[in-house]
Amino acid sequence: MNITKGEQIYEGKAKKVFATSDPDLVIVDYKDDATAFNGEKKGTITGKGVINNKLTNFLMKMLEEKGVPTHFIEEISDREAIVKKVTIIPLEVIVRNIAAGSFSKRFGVPEGKDLLSPTLEFSYKDDALGDPMINDYHIKALGIATDEELKTLAEMSFKVNEILKEYLLADNIILVDFKLEFGKTSSGEIVLADEISPDTCRFWDKDTREKLDKDRFRRSLGGEVEAYQEISKRVLGD
Ligand code: UDP
């Protein structure tokens, strides 16, 4: 693809975003920096950026082939991908199959309990407010998304769940829960954006239920580099 990298337009906790010579495309550049608890805990997971870039690109491509529109265009290096420029809808969409993390705490459900059906919840993406949980009525009242858009977000998220759950199970990985973000393209289409990685999903080994995701860092369990490598090996074969 004949596009050139322009100036940095954004730096987040785990990624940088660069403009390109095409106004509808940007380049994301994945870092090894790791944060948790709204930036309170900081560290580095060596090699994470490379793994998250490759894993995200691979899974987005697979989802796209199965009918989920995404922002992904092309992987251009170990840490970089070209994606469609979108306006991020300021919501984190969290889908859960098994109780864990904040869900377990909030509802007093032991971590690891199977849920009778997948759940979906929204957080309002605002670091200063600590990403508070937000419901459909709040979202509509604040003009963050319309009814129709909310329906699209939920349908797409549950579809992603079904596809990923089945796909990962073949690699002996249980998809416990995950967070998605969506964006609107210049033509107004809602597409899956951000990343799909051990930073944003809980992955457990199917047999041992060992944690193979960012909880190793969040909870200071150790072995985070190896956990990310294990996911990469199982899903990408490297
Ligand atoms: N998650 C995320 N970013 C956030 C919050 C959550 O990617 O800012 C992911 C997290 O990795 C997990 C899922 O969303 O896979 C559900 O997280 P939870 O609400 O249980 O929050 P946590 O326990 O991580 O604070």
Side-chain angles (χ1 to χ4, degrees), residues 100-123:
S102 69
F103 185 96
S104 289
K105 267 202 202 114
R106 187 176 306 119
F107 300 119
V109 182
E111 194 158 89
K113 188 174 165 38
D114 281 329
L115 300 174
L116 298 176
S117 54
T119 67
L120 185 146
E121 77 220 29
F122 297 104
S123 293

PDB file of all heavy atoms in Angstrom, residues 100-123:
ATOM      1  N   ALA A 100     -15.818 -12.892  36.465  1.00  0.00           N
ATOM      2  CA  ALA A 100     -14.430 -12.565  36.836  1.00  0.00           C
ATOM      3  C   ALA A 100     -14.361 -11.072  37.124  1.00  0.00           C
ATOM      4  O   ALA A 100     -15.321 -10.337  36.856  1.00  0.00           O
ATOM      5  CB  ALA A 100     -13.456 -12.929  35.711  1.00  0.00           C
ATOM      6  N   GLY A 101     -13.227 -10.645  37.677  1.00  0.00           N
ATOM      7  CA  GLY A 101     -12.921  -9.227  37.836  1.00  0.00           C
ATOM      8  C   GLY A 101     -14.014  -8.424  38.501  1.00  0.00           C
ATOM      9  O   GLY A 101     -14.556  -8.817  39.545  1.00  0.00           O
ATOM     10  N   SER A 102     -14.337  -7.291  37.894  1.00  0.00           N
ATOM     11  CA  SER A 102     -15.281  -6.354  38.519  1.00  0.00           C
ATOM     12  C   SER A 102     -16.685  -6.951  38.628  1.00  0.00           C
ATOM     13  O   SER A 102     -17.439  -6.591  39.529  1.00  0.00           O
ATOM     14  CB  SER A 102     -15.321  -5.034  37.744  1.00  0.00           C
ATOM     15  OG  SER A 102     -15.923  -5.212  36.489  1.00  0.00           O
ATOM     16  N   PHE A 103     -17.046  -7.858  37.730  1.00  0.00           N
ATOM     17  CA  PHE A 103     -18.373  -8.500  37.794  1.00  0.00           C
ATOM     18  C   PHE A 103     -18.479  -9.346  39.064  1.00  0.00           C
ATOM     19  O   PHE A 103     -19.475  -9.290  39.790  1.00  0.00           O
ATOM     20  CB  PHE A 103     -18.570  -9.383  36.543  1.00  0.00           C
ATOM     21  CG  PHE A 103     -19.938 -10.013  36.429  1.00  0.00           C
ATOM     22  CD1 PHE A 103     -20.938  -9.418  35.666  1.00  0.00           C
ATOM     23  CD2 PHE A 103     -20.215 -11.218  37.065  1.00  0.00           C
ATOM     24  CE1 PHE A 103     -22.193 -10.000  35.544  1.00  0.00           C
ATOM     25  CE2 PHE A 103     -21.470 -11.807  36.957  1.00  0.00           C
ATOM     26  CZ  PHE A 103     -22.458 -11.198  36.193  1.00  0.00           C
ATOM     27  N   SER A 104     -17.428 -10.120  39.342  1.00  0.00           N
ATOM     28  CA  SER A 104     -17.414 -10.967  40.540  1.00  0.00           C
ATOM     29  C   SER A 104     -17.523 -10.122  41.793  1.00  0.00           C
ATOM     30  O   SER A 104     -18.262 -10.448  42.719  1.00  0.00           O
ATOM     31  CB  SER A 104     -16.138 -11.805  40.585  1.00  0.00           C
ATOM     32  OG  SER A 104     -16.192 -12.802  39.594  1.00  0.00           O
ATOM     33  N   LYS A 105     -16.757  -9.021  41.790  1.00  0.00           N
ATOM     34  CA  LYS A 105     -16.759  -8.116  42.958  1.00  0.00           C
ATOM     35  C   LYS A 105     -18.124  -7.474  43.145  1.00  0.00           C
ATOM     36  O   LYS A 105     -18.677  -7.460  44.234  1.00  0.00           O
ATOM     37  CB  LYS A 105     -15.734  -7.006  42.746  1.00  0.00           C
ATOM     38  CG  LYS A 105     -14.391  -7.340  43.327  1.00  0.00           C
ATOM     39  CD  LYS A 105     -13.577  -6.063  43.598  1.00  0.00           C
ATOM     40  CE  LYS A 105     -12.125  -6.449  43.656  1.00  0.00           C
ATOM     41  NZ  LYS A 105     -11.329  -5.902  42.575  1.00  0.00           N
ATOM     42  N   ARG A 106     -18.660  -6.934  42.037  1.00  0.00           N
ATOM     43  CA  ARG A 106     -19.898  -6.153  42.125  1.00  0.00           C
ATOM     44  C   ARG A 106     -21.069  -7.003  42.583  1.00  0.00           C
ATOM     45  O   ARG A 106     -21.915  -6.564  43.357  1.00  0.00           O
ATOM     46  CB  ARG A 106     -20.201  -5.523  40.759  1.00  0.00           C
ATOM     47  CG  ARG A 106     -21.363  -4.560  40.779  1.00  0.00           C
ATOM     48  CD  ARG A 106     -21.588  -3.859  39.438  1.00  0.00           C
ATOM     49  NE  ARG A 106     -20.405  -3.200  38.945  1.00  0.00           N
ATOM     50  CZ  ARG A 106     -19.797  -3.483  37.788  1.00  0.00           C
ATOM     51  NH1 ARG A 106     -20.283  -4.416  37.006  1.00  0.00           N
ATOM     52  NH2 ARG A 106     -18.729  -2.836  37.430  1.00  0.00           N
ATOM     53  N   PHE A 107     -21.135  -8.252  42.069  1.00  0.00           N
ATOM     54  CA  PHE A 107     -22.311  -9.082  42.332  1.00  0.00           C
ATOM     55  C   PHE A 107     -22.038 -10.222  43.322  1.00  0.00           C
ATOM     56  O   PHE A 107     -22.919 -11.044  43.572  1.00  0.00           O
ATOM     57  CB  PHE A 107     -22.875  -9.637  41.015  1.00  0.00           C
ATOM     58  CG  PHE A 107     -23.288  -8.541  40.051  1.00  0.00           C
ATOM     59  CD1 PHE A 107     -22.697  -8.428  38.808  1.00  0.00           C
ATOM     60  CD2 PHE A 107     -24.261  -7.615  40.417  1.00  0.00           C
ATOM     61  CE1 PHE A 107     -23.064  -7.414  37.931  1.00  0.00           C
ATOM     62  CE2 PHE A 107     -24.640  -6.596  39.543  1.00  0.00           C
ATOM     63  CZ  PHE A 107     -24.035  -6.492  38.297  1.00  0.00           C
ATOM     64  N   GLY A 108     -20.836 -10.290  43.858  1.00  0.00           N
ATOM     65  CA  GLY A 108     -20.515 -11.321  44.834  1.00  0.00           C
ATOM     66  C   GLY A 108     -20.574 -12.725  44.256  1.00  0.00           C
ATOM     67  O   GLY A 108     -20.986 -13.666  44.936  1.00  0.00           O
ATOM     68  N   VAL A 109     -20.175 -12.849  43.005  1.00  0.00           N
ATOM     69  CA  VAL A 109     -20.190 -14.149  42.327  1.00  0.00           C
ATOM     70  C   VAL A 109     -18.745 -14.652  42.239  1.00  0.00           C
ATOM     71  O   VAL A 109     -17.872 -13.904  41.796  1.00  0.00           O
ATOM     72  CB  VAL A 109     -20.761 -14.014  40.891  1.00  0.00           C
ATOM     73  CG1 VAL A 109     -20.836 -15.364  40.195  1.00  0.00           C
ATOM     74  CG2 VAL A 109     -22.124 -13.346  40.914  1.00  0.00           C
ATOM     75  N   PRO A 110     -18.474 -15.898  42.673  1.00  0.00           N
ATOM     76  CA  PRO A 110     -17.078 -16.356  42.632  1.00  0.00           C
ATOM     77  C   PRO A 110     -16.503 -16.321  41.217  1.00  0.00           C
ATOM     78  O   PRO A 110     -17.208 -16.634  40.255  1.00  0.00           O
ATOM     79  CB  PRO A 110     -17.146 -17.804  43.135  1.00  0.00           C
ATOM     80  CG  PRO A 110     -18.548 -18.071  43.521  1.00  0.00           C
ATOM     81  CD  PRO A 110     -19.403 -16.919  43.149  1.00  0.00           C
ATOM     82  N   GLU A 111     -15.235 -15.921  41.143  1.00  0.00           N
ATOM     83  CA  GLU A 111     -14.565 -15.914  39.846  1.00  0.00           C
ATOM     84  C   GLU A 111     -14.540 -17.341  39.297  1.00  0.00           C
ATOM     85  O   GLU A 111     -14.241 -18.281  40.026  1.00  0.00           O
ATOM     86  CB  GLU A 111     -13.146 -15.370  40.022  1.00  0.00           C
ATOM     87  CG  GLU A 111     -12.511 -15.015  38.709  1.00  0.00           C
ATOM     88  CD  GLU A 111     -11.366 -14.025  38.831  1.00  0.00           C
ATOM     89  OE1 GLU A 111     -10.232 -14.469  39.020  1.00  0.00           O
ATOM     90  OE2 GLU A 111     -11.615 -12.821  38.744  1.00  0.00           O
ATOM     91  N   GLY A 112     -14.897 -17.487  38.054  1.00  0.00           N
ATOM     92  CA  GLY A 112     -14.870 -18.812  37.421  1.00  0.00           C
ATOM     93  C   GLY A 112     -16.250 -19.420  37.254  1.00  0.00           C
ATOM     94  O   GLY A 112     -16.392 -20.453  36.606  1.00  0.00           O
ATOM     95  N   LYS A 113     -17.283 -18.787  37.836  1.00  0.00           N
ATOM     96  CA  LYS A 113     -18.630 -19.344  37.700  1.00  0.00           C
ATOM     97  C   LYS A 113     -19.158 -19.082  36.281  1.00  0.00           C
ATOM     98  O   LYS A 113     -19.140 -17.952  35.807  1.00  0.00           O
ATOM     99  CB  LYS A 113     -19.569 -18.690  38.733  1.00  0.00           C
ATOM    100  CG  LYS A 113     -20.930 -19.350  38.799  1.00  0.00           C
ATOM    101  CD  LYS A 113     -21.762 -18.763  39.929  1.00  0.00           C
ATOM    102  CE  LYS A 113     -23.234 -19.077  39.875  1.00  0.00           C
ATOM    103  NZ  LYS A 113     -23.632 -20.391  39.425  1.00  0.00           N
ATOM    104  N   ASP A 114     -19.627 -20.141  35.636  1.00  0.00           N
ATOM    105  CA  ASP A 114     -20.221 -19.995  34.299  1.00  0.00           C
ATOM    106  C   ASP A 114     -21.475 -19.147  34.394  1.00  0.00           C
ATOM    107  O   ASP A 114     -22.298 -19.350  35.298  1.00  0.00           O
ATOM    108  CB  ASP A 114     -20.634 -21.371  33.741  1.00  0.00           C
ATOM    109  CG  ASP A 114     -19.446 -22.133  33.187  1.00  0.00           C
ATOM    110  OD1 ASP A 114     -18.504 -21.492  32.693  1.00  0.00           O
ATOM    111  OD2 ASP A 114     -19.469 -23.381  33.251  1.00  0.00           O
ATOM    112  N   LEU A 115     -21.645 -18.225  33.468  1.00  0.00           N
ATOM    113  CA  LEU A 115     -22.887 -17.436  33.424  1.00  0.00           C
ATOM    114  C   LEU A 115     -23.896 -18.200  32.564  1.00  0.00           C
ATOM    115  O   LEU A 115     -23.507 -18.890  31.613  1.00  0.00           O
ATOM    116  CB  LEU A 115     -22.594 -16.051  32.848  1.00  0.00           C
ATOM    117  CG  LEU A 115     -21.572 -15.243  33.668  1.00  0.00           C
ATOM    118  CD1 LEU A 115     -21.208 -13.937  32.968  1.00  0.00           C
ATOM    119  CD2 LEU A 115     -22.093 -14.969  35.073  1.00  0.00           C
ATOM    120  N   LEU A 116     -25.181 -18.058  32.912  1.00  0.00           N
ATOM    121  CA  LEU A 116     -26.208 -18.828  32.191  1.00  0.00           C
ATOM    122  C   LEU A 116     -26.355 -18.340  30.756  1.00  0.00           C
ATOM    123  O   LEU A 116     -26.733 -19.100  29.868  1.00  0.00           O
ATOM    124  CB  LEU A 116     -27.554 -18.735  32.929  1.00  0.00           C
ATOM    125  CG  LEU A 116     -27.543 -19.322  34.337  1.00  0.00           C
ATOM    126  CD1 LEU A 116     -28.888 -19.106  35.026  1.00  0.00           C
ATOM    127  CD2 LEU A 116     -27.202 -20.818  34.290  1.00  0.00           C
ATOM    128  N   SER A 117     -26.063 -17.058  30.557  1.00  0.00           N
ATOM    129  CA  SER A 117     -26.031 -16.517  29.188  1.00  0.00           C
ATOM    130  C   SER A 117     -24.983 -15.416  29.167  1.00  0.00           C
ATOM    131  O   SER A 117     -24.674 -14.823  30.210  1.00  0.00           O
ATOM    132  CB  SER A 117     -27.408 -15.964  28.804  1.00  0.00           C
ATOM    133  OG  SER A 117     -27.839 -15.039  29.772  1.00  0.00           O
ATOM    134  N   PRO A 118     -24.425 -15.129  27.976  1.00  0.00           N
ATOM    135  CA  PRO A 118     -23.424 -14.054  27.921  1.00  0.00           C
ATOM    136  C   PRO A 118     -24.047 -12.725  28.346  1.00  0.00           C
ATOM    137  O   PRO A 118     -25.225 -12.477  28.084  1.00  0.00           O
ATOM    138  CB  PRO A 118     -23.033 -14.005  26.439  1.00  0.00           C
ATOM    139  CG  PRO A 118     -23.436 -15.324  25.881  1.00  0.00           C
ATOM    140  CD  PRO A 118     -24.643 -15.748  26.661  1.00  0.00           C
ATOM    141  N   THR A 119     -23.257 -11.886  29.032  1.00  0.00           N
ATOM    142  CA  THR A 119     -23.761 -10.566  29.441  1.00  0.00           C
ATOM    143  C   THR A 119     -23.035  -9.477  28.670  1.00  0.00           C
ATOM    144  O   THR A 119     -21.955  -9.718  28.103  1.00  0.00           O
ATOM    145  CB  THR A 119     -23.524 -10.302  30.940  1.00  0.00           C
ATOM    146  OG1 THR A 119     -22.116 -10.193  31.165  1.00  0.00           O
ATOM    147  CG2 THR A 119     -24.100 -11.411  31.794  1.00  0.00           C
ATOM    148  N   LEU A 120     -23.633  -8.308  28.684  1.00  0.00           N
ATOM    149  CA  LEU A 120     -23.022  -7.150  28.028  1.00  0.00           C
ATOM    150  C   LEU A 120     -23.236  -5.922  28.900  1.00  0.00           C
ATOM    151  O   LEU A 120     -24.322  -5.737  29.441  1.00  0.00           O
ATOM    152  CB  LEU A 120     -23.673  -6.957  26.654  1.00  0.00           C
ATOM    153  CG  LEU A 120     -23.099  -5.860  25.759  1.00  0.00           C
ATOM    154  CD1 LEU A 120     -23.192  -6.280  24.288  1.00  0.00           C
ATOM    155  CD2 LEU A 120     -23.839  -4.545  25.950  1.00  0.00           C
ATOM    156  N   GLU A 121     -22.202  -5.145  29.069  1.00  0.00           N
ATOM    157  CA  GLU A 121     -22.335  -3.888  29.814  1.00  0.00           C
ATOM    158  C   GLU A 121     -21.473  -2.830  29.158  1.00  0.00           C
ATOM    159  O   GLU A 121     -20.528  -3.149  28.431  1.00  0.00           O
ATOM    160  CB  GLU A 121     -21.953  -4.097  31.288  1.00  0.00           C
ATOM    161  CG  GLU A 121     -20.477  -4.175  31.540  1.00  0.00           C
ATOM    162  CD  GLU A 121     -20.071  -5.227  32.581  1.00  0.00           C
ATOM    163  OE1 GLU A 121     -20.754  -6.261  32.744  1.00  0.00           O
ATOM    164  OE2 GLU A 121     -19.031  -5.003  33.210  1.00  0.00           O
ATOM    165  N   PHE A 122     -21.820  -1.583  29.442  1.00  0.00           N
ATOM    166  CA  PHE A 122     -21.063  -0.464  28.883  1.00  0.00           C
ATOM    167  C   PHE A 122     -20.360   0.295  29.998  1.00  0.00           C
ATOM    168  O   PHE A 122     -20.903   0.452  31.093  1.00  0.00           O
ATOM    169  CB  PHE A 122     -22.009   0.529  28.199  1.00  0.00           C
ATOM    170  CG  PHE A 122     -22.751  -0.026  27.018  1.00  0.00           C
ATOM    171  CD1 PHE A 122     -24.094  -0.364  27.122  1.00  0.00           C
ATOM    172  CD2 PHE A 122     -22.106  -0.205  25.799  1.00  0.00           C
ATOM    173  CE1 PHE A 122     -24.790  -0.857  26.029  1.00  0.00           C
ATOM    174  CE2 PHE A 122     -22.798  -0.703  24.705  1.00  0.00           C
ATOM    175  CZ  PHE A 122     -24.135  -1.032  24.826  1.00  0.00           C
ATOM    176  N   SER A 123     -19.139   0.775  29.686  1.00  0.00           N
ATOM    177  CA  SER A 123     -18.488   1.777  30.530  1.00  0.00           C
ATOM    178  C   SER A 123     -18.302   3.019  29.680  1.00  0.00           C
ATOM    179  O   SER A 123     -18.053   2.923  28.470  1.00  0.00           O
ATOM    180  CB  SER A 123     -17.107   1.323  30.984  1.00  0.00           C
ATOM    181  OG  SER A 123     -17.209   0.244  31.854  1.00  0.00           O
TER     182      SER A 123
END
